[in-house]
Amino acid sequence: MSIYLDNAATTKPCDEAVAAAVDAMTVNFGNPSSLHRAGLDAQLIVDKSRKIIADSLGTSPETIFFTSGATESNNLALRGAVAAYGKRRRKIVASAVEHASVEETLKALERNDFEVVRILPRQNGEYVADDFIAACDENTVLLTMMYINNETGAILPAGDVFNAVKRRFPEIITHSDCVQAYMKFPVRASALNADLISLSAHKIHGVKGSGALYVKKGIRVLPIMTGGRQEKGIRSGTESVPLIAAFGAAVMKLNPTINERFVRAGERKLYFEKLLSGIDGVVINSVNNSPYITNIAVMGKRSEIMLHFLESRGIYVSSGSACSKGKQSGVLEKFGISDKAADSALRISITSETTEGELDELVLALRDGIEKIRG
Ligand code: PLP
């Protein structure tokens, strides 16, 4: 039996999501664009999921556009918004700790002569709204700030920042990557004051390759793909009805229990941190963070070595610094975490169903690893 503690990377699809996807592959397999009954049935499935997701954000279905995942949502949000509004206003303000799908898109926009101002957390690793407000001006077209950081679980004050910035500069488009917050925190489009919100299905027990972009009514986003003009022309391509059905089913299941799951995850995190405090050489890397993510450093033991040691005990976690093909993102350092701690960082990401017994096993294995792995 394995212990899966890597839920920020992906989650197991819930039974409801799997059943909905299977139905849309075996029974209701039509193309939503087809004019016959099979097409209409598929369209009804897409509409149902759109309504469920819209309700969960406190918005209306016309504001939800389905994509292939949050990477596409982030690309569409940033590229689509600056294509619509960035002819004269050429400055973008962003947090310096965004996921690669935002950060790499920002780099591409810099190559297209946009100026990107990246805001670092303060020395204590926390973000302050004033730093964003100070960076925005009449030349700013877009402000992008994630809600929960995927590596540390840090909670960024996106709502405070967007509200404050919109008071001074109502024309600035606000975008939030809410992938690690959605269905864990109550994400409401109006409270967040976001014009654009990116979501991913596979982080919330849906299926990989599926996501959505919320686009506030009245806000324009130009398409980044051309084709059959599905999704009101914003996202061409035949809708992935099975994955969209699964996305809706997962949200329908999770949305009513956000608060109780949040409390339960918080209790598990406290329990875990208490256990960790008894181990010499283990440092908790994040403060003010999501109950679902804990980033630790096992000082002197390289992340990958410890990760594979834990794997040999049937326990799955991530190396704490998101890396692609061995290249670290550098986000931990931006939060003020030392290079040494970043080298030995592990990310443990739980669900509300994670048990104390599973965390006990992890801590036992960590203790064992500290003893057995040479520095
Ligand atoms: N944004 C954040 C914060 C994430 O954690 C991820 C997934 O790792 C993504 C975006 C990309 O999501 P997807 O896998 O749906 O493209």
Side-chain angles (χ1 to χ4, degrees):
M1 267 285 281
S2 62
I3 297 176
Y4 186 79
L5 300 171
D6 199 12
N7 291 281
T10 197
T11 55
K12 183 175 182 214
C14 62
D15 293 345
E16 292 81 349
V18 173
V22 169
D23 171 76
M25 288 189 286
T26 52
V27 183
N28 293 303
F29 57 83
N31 183 330
S33 296
S34 295
L35 296 179
H36 46 63
R37 180 79 223 177
L40 179 63
D41 287 344
Q43 184 63 56
L44 289 175
I45 291 175
V46 172
D47 290 345
K48 184 175 163 200
S49 284
R50 203 187 304 282
K51 166 110 178 55
I52 292 167
I53 291 161
D55 285 348
S56 75
L57 294 175
T59 177
S60 53
E62 318 85 80
T63 62
I64 304 298
F65 298 86
F66 288 111
T67 65
S68 65
T71 297
E72 185 187 334
S73 300
N74 285 336
N75 269 267
L76 178 57
L78 270 52
R79 293 173 193 270
V82 303
Y85 297 102
K87 218 169 203 146
R88 274 187 297 277
R89 290 184 285 143
R90 304 292 291 178
K91 180 170 164 184
I92 301 170
V93 176
S95 96
V97 297
E98 295 294 315
H99 184 264
S101 52
V102 167
E103 175 51 31
E104 293 300 316
T105 307
L106 292 173
K107 283 187 191 145
L109 292 173
E110 279 177 311
R111 290 192 288 275
N112 279 333
D113 295 330
F114 282 92
E115 178 199 0
V116 177
V117 178
R118 295 174 179 79
I119 309 293
L120 282 163
R122 293 271 177 103
Q123 248 178 357
N124 61 0
E126 299 215 13
Y127 269 109
V128 177
D130 284 349
D131 295 348
F132 287 83
I133 299 160
C136 290
D137 57 25
E138 298 73 34
N139 195 34
T140 306
V141 59
L142 178 76
L143 167 61
T144 180
M145 184 177 198
M146 68 196 331
Y147 190 156
I148 304 293
N149 182 267
N150 51 299
E151 295 185 43
T152 64
I155 302 169
L156 278 68
D160 291 350
V161 169
F162 291 174
N163 279 309
V165 164
K166 284 278 191 187
R167 269 197 296 277
R168 300 261 313 261
F169 305 104
E171 69 285 0
I172 294 180
I173 305 294
T174 51
H175 165 253
S176 187
D177 173 343
C178 287
V179 166
Q180 298 290 350
Y182 188 52
M183 289 297 121
K184 299 184 173 78
F185 288 65
V187 178
R188 311 293 283 182
S190 60
L192 201 53
N193 214 335
D195 296 316
L196 305 166
I197 296 174
S198 298
L199 306 175
S200 175
H202 74 100
K203 312 285 186 178
I204 61 147
H205 305 278
V207 182
K208 293 159 195 63
S210 175
L213 180 66
Y214 158 79
V215 182
K216 188 179 176 180
K217 249 187 223 161
I219 297 295
R220 275 182 308 126
V221 169
L222 297 189
I224 55 176
M225 290 196 300
T226 43
R229 300 192 56 77
Q230 287 88 346
E231 298 293 286
K232 288 197 242 142
I234 286 186
R235 203 281 186 173
S236 286
T238 302
E239 296 87 342
S240 176
V241 185
L243 303 191
I244 291 170
F247 192 2
V251 173
M252 187 139 101
K253 178 173 187 195
L254 292 180
N255 195 42
T257 58
I258 290 178
N259 292 336
E260 62 193 71
R261 285 186 292 104
F262 188 89
V263 171
R264 219 178 315 144
E267 288 166 359
R268 292 294 177 275
K269 187 185 177 80
L270 264 181
Y271 178 80
F272 180 45
E273 290 188 349
K274 223 169 168 182
L275 293 179
L276 290 175
S277 67
I279 314 182
D280 272 351
V282 171
V283 178
I284 297 173
N285 278 332
S286 33
V287 284
N288 180 32
N289 67 346
S290 164
Y292 291 91
I293 297 178
T294 305
N295 192 305
I296 65 171
V298 186
M299 298 308 285
K301 316 290 176 192
R302 284 186 65 87
S303 307
E304 289 76 7
I305 312 259
M306 183 58 93
L307 183 152
H308 290 303
F309 180 84
L310 296 176
E311 181 192 10
S312 74
R313 301 293 167 96
I315 301 172
Y316 299 127
V317 302
S318 262
S319 65
S321 189
C323 42
S324 166
K325 296 190 180 117
K327 188 170 171 282
Q328 290 191 354
S329 69
V331 161
L332 292 189
E333 290 81 351
K334 288 180 182 141
F335 275 111
I337 293 161
S338 70
D339 287 354
K340 254 185 157 167
D343 277 346
S344 54
L346 295 175
R347 179 185 69 183
I348 293 97
S349 46
I350 62 170
T351 73
S352 59
E353 305 293 306
T354 300
T355 63
E356 290 185 356
E358 289 176 316
L359 296 170
D360 289 340
E361 289 288 323
L362 168 62
V363 167
L364 266 180
L366 279 171
R367 283 183 182 282
D368 209 18
I370 290 170
E371 234 179 78
K372 297 208 166 105
I373 299 167
R374 305 179 85 217

Short mmCIF file of all heavy atoms in Angstrom, two decimals, residues 25-61:
data_model
loop_
_atom_site.label_atom_id
_atom_site.label_comp_id
_atom_site.label_asym_id
_atom_site.label_seq_id
_atom_site.Cartn_x
_atom_site.Cartn_y
_atom_site.Cartn_z
N MET A 25 -17.94 9.14 -22.69
CA MET A 25 -17.18 8.42 -23.72
C MET A 25 -17.95 7.25 -24.28
O MET A 25 -17.70 6.81 -25.40
CB MET A 25 -15.84 7.93 -23.13
CG MET A 25 -14.86 9.06 -22.90
SD MET A 25 -13.21 8.47 -22.45
CE MET A 25 -13.49 7.95 -20.78
N THR A 26 -18.88 6.74 -23.49
CA THR A 26 -19.55 5.51 -23.92
C THR A 26 -21.00 5.75 -24.35
O THR A 26 -21.49 5.10 -25.25
CB THR A 26 -19.53 4.47 -22.79
OG1 THR A 26 -20.05 5.08 -21.60
CG2 THR A 26 -18.13 3.97 -22.52
N VAL A 27 -21.67 6.68 -23.68
CA VAL A 27 -23.09 6.92 -23.99
C VAL A 27 -23.23 8.26 -24.72
O VAL A 27 -23.62 8.32 -25.88
CB VAL A 27 -23.94 6.92 -22.70
CG1 VAL A 27 -25.42 7.09 -23.05
CG2 VAL A 27 -23.72 5.62 -21.90
N ASN A 28 -22.85 9.32 -24.04
CA ASN A 28 -23.02 10.67 -24.60
C ASN A 28 -21.74 11.14 -25.27
O ASN A 28 -21.08 12.05 -24.80
CB ASN A 28 -23.44 11.63 -23.49
CG ASN A 28 -24.82 11.29 -22.98
OD1 ASN A 28 -25.78 11.26 -23.75
ND2 ASN A 28 -24.94 11.01 -21.68
N PHE A 29 -21.38 10.47 -26.37
CA PHE A 29 -20.07 10.74 -26.98
C PHE A 29 -20.14 11.72 -28.14
O PHE A 29 -19.19 11.89 -28.89
CB PHE A 29 -19.44 9.42 -27.46
CG PHE A 29 -20.31 8.68 -28.43
CD1 PHE A 29 -20.30 9.01 -29.78
CD2 PHE A 29 -21.17 7.68 -28.00
CE1 PHE A 29 -21.11 8.35 -30.68
CE2 PHE A 29 -21.99 7.02 -28.89
CZ PHE A 29 -21.98 7.36 -30.24
N GLY A 30 -21.28 12.40 -28.30
CA GLY A 30 -21.44 13.29 -29.45
C GLY A 30 -20.51 14.50 -29.39
O GLY A 30 -19.85 14.77 -28.38
N ASN A 31 -20.47 15.23 -30.50
CA ASN A 31 -19.72 16.48 -30.60
C ASN A 31 -20.69 17.63 -30.28
O ASN A 31 -21.71 17.76 -30.95
CB ASN A 31 -19.17 16.63 -32.02
CG ASN A 31 -18.32 17.88 -32.18
OD1 ASN A 31 -18.52 18.89 -31.50
ND2 ASN A 31 -17.36 17.82 -33.09
N PRO A 32 -20.39 18.45 -29.27
CA PRO A 32 -21.33 19.50 -28.89
C PRO A 32 -21.72 20.43 -30.05
O PRO A 32 -22.77 21.07 -29.99
CB PRO A 32 -20.59 20.28 -27.80
CG PRO A 32 -19.53 19.37 -27.32
CD PRO A 32 -19.18 18.45 -28.44
N SER A 33 -20.89 20.50 -31.07
CA SER A 33 -21.21 21.38 -32.20
C SER A 33 -22.17 20.75 -33.20
O SER A 33 -22.70 21.43 -34.08
CB SER A 33 -19.94 21.79 -32.95
OG SER A 33 -19.11 22.54 -32.11
N SER A 34 -22.38 19.43 -33.09
CA SER A 34 -23.28 18.75 -34.04
C SER A 34 -24.72 19.20 -33.80
O SER A 34 -25.12 19.45 -32.66
CB SER A 34 -23.19 17.24 -33.88
OG SER A 34 -21.91 16.80 -34.23
N LEU A 35 -25.49 19.24 -34.88
CA LEU A 35 -26.85 19.78 -34.77
C LEU A 35 -27.89 18.73 -34.39
O LEU A 35 -29.04 19.05 -34.13
CB LEU A 35 -27.24 20.44 -36.10
CG LEU A 35 -26.37 21.64 -36.47
CD1 LEU A 35 -26.80 22.23 -37.82
CD2 LEU A 35 -26.44 22.73 -35.40
N HIS A 36 -27.49 17.45 -34.34
CA HIS A 36 -28.46 16.40 -34.01
C HIS A 36 -28.52 16.15 -32.50
O HIS A 36 -27.81 16.79 -31.72
CB HIS A 36 -28.13 15.12 -34.77
CG HIS A 36 -26.67 14.76 -34.72
ND1 HIS A 36 -26.03 14.45 -33.55
CD2 HIS A 36 -25.72 14.72 -35.70
CE1 HIS A 36 -24.76 14.20 -33.80
NE2 HIS A 36 -24.55 14.38 -35.10
N ARG A 37 -29.33 15.16 -32.15
CA ARG A 37 -29.60 14.87 -30.74
C ARG A 37 -28.31 14.52 -29.95
O ARG A 37 -28.11 14.99 -28.82
CB ARG A 37 -30.59 13.69 -30.69
CG ARG A 37 -30.99 13.23 -29.32
CD ARG A 37 -32.04 14.15 -28.72
NE ARG A 37 -31.73 14.40 -27.33
CZ ARG A 37 -32.42 15.22 -26.55
NH1 ARG A 37 -33.45 15.88 -27.03
NH2 ARG A 37 -32.09 15.39 -25.30
N ALA A 38 -27.44 13.70 -30.57
CA ALA A 38 -26.21 13.30 -29.87
C ALA A 38 -25.36 14.54 -29.55
O ALA A 38 -24.73 14.63 -28.49
CB ALA A 38 -25.41 12.31 -30.71
N GLY A 39 -25.36 15.48 -30.49
CA GLY A 39 -24.61 16.72 -30.26
C GLY A 39 -25.23 17.53 -29.13
O GLY A 39 -24.53 18.05 -28.26
N LEU A 40 -26.54 17.60 -29.14
CA LEU A 40 -27.23 18.37 -28.10
C LEU A 40 -26.98 17.77 -26.71
O LEU A 40 -26.72 18.50 -25.74
CB LEU A 40 -28.74 18.40 -28.41
CG LEU A 40 -29.59 19.15 -27.39
CD1 LEU A 40 -29.20 20.63 -27.35
CD2 LEU A 40 -31.07 19.01 -27.71
N ASP A 41 -27.01 16.44 -26.64
CA ASP A 41 -26.76 15.79 -25.34
C ASP A 41 -25.36 16.14 -24.83
O ASP A 41 -25.16 16.38 -23.63
CB ASP A 41 -26.92 14.27 -25.46
CG ASP A 41 -28.39 13.87 -25.61
OD1 ASP A 41 -29.27 14.72 -25.31
OD2 ASP A 41 -28.66 12.74 -26.05
N ALA A 42 -24.40 16.13 -25.74
CA ALA A 42 -23.02 16.47 -25.33
C ALA A 42 -22.96 17.94 -24.90
O ALA A 42 -22.31 18.28 -23.90
CB ALA A 42 -22.06 16.21 -26.50
N GLN A 43 -23.66 18.79 -25.65
CA GLN A 43 -23.68 20.22 -25.29
C GLN A 43 -24.29 20.42 -23.89
O GLN A 43 -23.82 21.24 -23.10
CB GLN A 43 -24.49 21.02 -26.33
CG GLN A 43 -24.50 22.53 -26.11
CD GLN A 43 -23.10 23.13 -26.23
OE1 GLN A 43 -22.44 22.96 -27.24
NE2 GLN A 43 -22.64 23.81 -25.18
N LEU A 44 -25.32 19.63 -23.59
CA LEU A 44 -25.96 19.76 -22.27
C LEU A 44 -24.98 19.38 -21.15
O LEU A 44 -24.98 19.99 -20.08
CB LEU A 44 -27.21 18.87 -22.19
CG LEU A 44 -28.39 19.35 -23.05
CD1 LEU A 44 -29.54 18.36 -23.02
CD2 LEU A 44 -28.86 20.73 -22.60
N ILE A 45 -24.13 18.40 -21.41
CA ILE A 45 -23.13 18.01 -20.40
C ILE A 45 -22.14 19.16 -20.17
O ILE A 45 -21.81 19.51 -19.04
CB ILE A 45 -22.38 16.73 -20.86
CG1 ILE A 45 -23.34 15.55 -20.82
CG2 ILE A 45 -21.15 16.48 -20.00
CD1 ILE A 45 -22.75 14.25 -21.37
N VAL A 46 -21.69 19.74 -21.28
CA VAL A 46 -20.74 20.87 -21.17
C VAL A 46 -21.42 22.03 -20.42
O VAL A 46 -20.83 22.64 -19.51
CB VAL A 46 -20.26 21.31 -22.57
CG1 VAL A 46 -19.43 22.59 -22.49
CG2 VAL A 46 -19.45 20.20 -23.23
N ASP A 47 -22.67 22.31 -20.77
CA ASP A 47 -23.40 23.42 -20.12
C ASP A 47 -23.56 23.17 -18.63
O ASP A 47 -23.45 24.09 -17.81
CB ASP A 47 -24.80 23.59 -20.73
CG ASP A 47 -24.73 24.14 -22.16
OD1 ASP A 47 -23.66 24.64 -22.54
OD2 ASP A 47 -25.75 24.06 -22.87
N LYS A 48 -23.82 21.90 -18.28
CA LYS A 48 -24.02 21.57 -16.86
C LYS A 48 -22.72 21.84 -16.07
O LYS A 48 -22.74 22.48 -15.02
CB LYS A 48 -24.43 20.09 -16.75
CG LYS A 48 -24.76 19.67 -15.33
CD LYS A 48 -25.29 18.24 -15.30
CE LYS A 48 -25.22 17.71 -13.89
NZ LYS A 48 -25.24 16.25 -13.81
N SER A 49 -21.61 21.37 -16.61
CA SER A 49 -20.33 21.61 -15.91
C SER A 49 -20.03 23.11 -15.83
O SER A 49 -19.54 23.61 -14.82
CB SER A 49 -19.18 20.92 -16.64
OG SER A 49 -19.22 19.54 -16.39
N ARG A 50 -20.34 23.81 -16.90
CA ARG A 50 -20.07 25.26 -16.92
C ARG A 50 -20.86 25.94 -15.79
O ARG A 50 -20.35 26.81 -15.09
CB ARG A 50 -20.47 25.84 -18.28
CG ARG A 50 -19.75 27.14 -18.63
CD ARG A 50 -20.29 27.79 -19.88
NE ARG A 50 -20.27 26.99 -21.08
CZ ARG A 50 -19.20 26.77 -21.82
NH1 ARG A 50 -18.04 27.29 -21.50
NH2 ARG A 50 -19.28 26.02 -22.91
N LYS A 51 -22.09 25.51 -15.62
CA LYS A 51 -22.94 26.13 -14.58
C LYS A 51 -22.41 25.77 -13.19
O LYS A 51 -22.36 26.62 -12.30
CB LYS A 51 -24.38 25.64 -14.78
CG LYS A 51 -25.34 25.88 -13.66
CD LYS A 51 -26.37 26.95 -14.04
CE LYS A 51 -27.42 27.23 -12.98
NZ LYS A 51 -26.93 27.59 -11.68
N ILE A 52 -21.99 24.52 -13.00
CA ILE A 52 -21.48 24.10 -11.68
C ILE A 52 -20.24 24.93 -11.32
O ILE A 52 -20.10 25.42 -10.20
CB ILE A 52 -21.12 22.59 -11.71
CG1 ILE A 52 -22.39 21.75 -11.85
CG2 ILE A 52 -20.34 22.19 -10.47
CD1 ILE A 52 -22.12 20.28 -12.19
N ILE A 53 -19.34 25.09 -12.30
CA ILE A 53 -18.09 25.82 -12.03
C ILE A 53 -18.39 27.31 -11.82
O ILE A 53 -17.85 27.94 -10.91
CB ILE A 53 -17.06 25.58 -13.16
CG1 ILE A 53 -16.62 24.11 -13.08
CG2 ILE A 53 -15.87 26.52 -13.04
CD1 ILE A 53 -15.98 23.56 -14.32
N ALA A 54 -19.31 27.85 -12.62
CA ALA A 54 -19.69 29.26 -12.45
C ALA A 54 -20.28 29.47 -11.06
O ALA A 54 -19.89 30.40 -10.34
CB ALA A 54 -20.71 29.66 -13.53
N ASP A 55 -21.19 28.60 -10.65
CA ASP A 55 -21.80 28.73 -9.32
C ASP A 55 -20.73 28.71 -8.23
O ASP A 55 -20.80 29.45 -7.26
CB ASP A 55 -22.79 27.58 -9.05
CG ASP A 55 -24.09 27.77 -9.83
OD1 ASP A 55 -24.31 28.87 -10.39
OD2 ASP A 55 -24.88 26.80 -9.90
N SER A 56 -19.75 27.85 -8.41
CA SER A 56 -18.72 27.71 -7.37
C SER A 56 -17.91 28.99 -7.22
O SER A 56 -17.34 29.25 -6.16
CB SER A 56 -17.80 26.53 -7.68
OG SER A 56 -16.90 26.86 -8.73
N LEU A 57 -17.81 29.79 -8.30
CA LEU A 57 -17.06 31.05 -8.24
C LEU A 57 -18.00 32.24 -7.95
O LEU A 57 -17.55 33.38 -7.89
CB LEU A 57 -16.34 31.32 -9.57
CG LEU A 57 -15.20 30.37 -9.97
CD1 LEU A 57 -14.71 30.71 -11.37
CD2 LEU A 57 -14.05 30.45 -8.98
N GLY A 58 -19.28 31.95 -7.82
CA GLY A 58 -20.26 33.01 -7.58
C GLY A 58 -20.47 33.87 -8.82
O GLY A 58 -20.68 35.09 -8.73
N THR A 59 -20.43 33.24 -9.99
CA THR A 59 -20.55 34.01 -11.22
C THR A 59 -21.54 33.31 -12.17
O THR A 59 -22.21 32.37 -11.78
CB THR A 59 -19.15 34.20 -11.85
OG1 THR A 59 -19.29 34.88 -13.08
CG2 THR A 59 -18.46 32.88 -12.10
N SER A 60 -21.65 33.80 -13.40
CA SER A 60 -22.63 33.22 -14.32
C SER A 60 -21.91 32.39 -15.39
O SER A 60 -20.74 32.63 -15.70
CB SER A 60 -23.46 34.33 -14.96
OG SER A 60 -22.60 35.27 -15.53
N PRO A 61 -22.63 31.41 -15.98
CA PRO A 61 -21.98 30.46 -16.90
C PRO A 61 -21.26 31.13 -18.08
O PRO A 61 -20.25 30.60 -18.54
CB PRO A 61 -23.13 29.60 -17.39
CG PRO A 61 -24.15 29.67 -16.30
CD PRO A 61 -24.03 31.04 -15.70
#
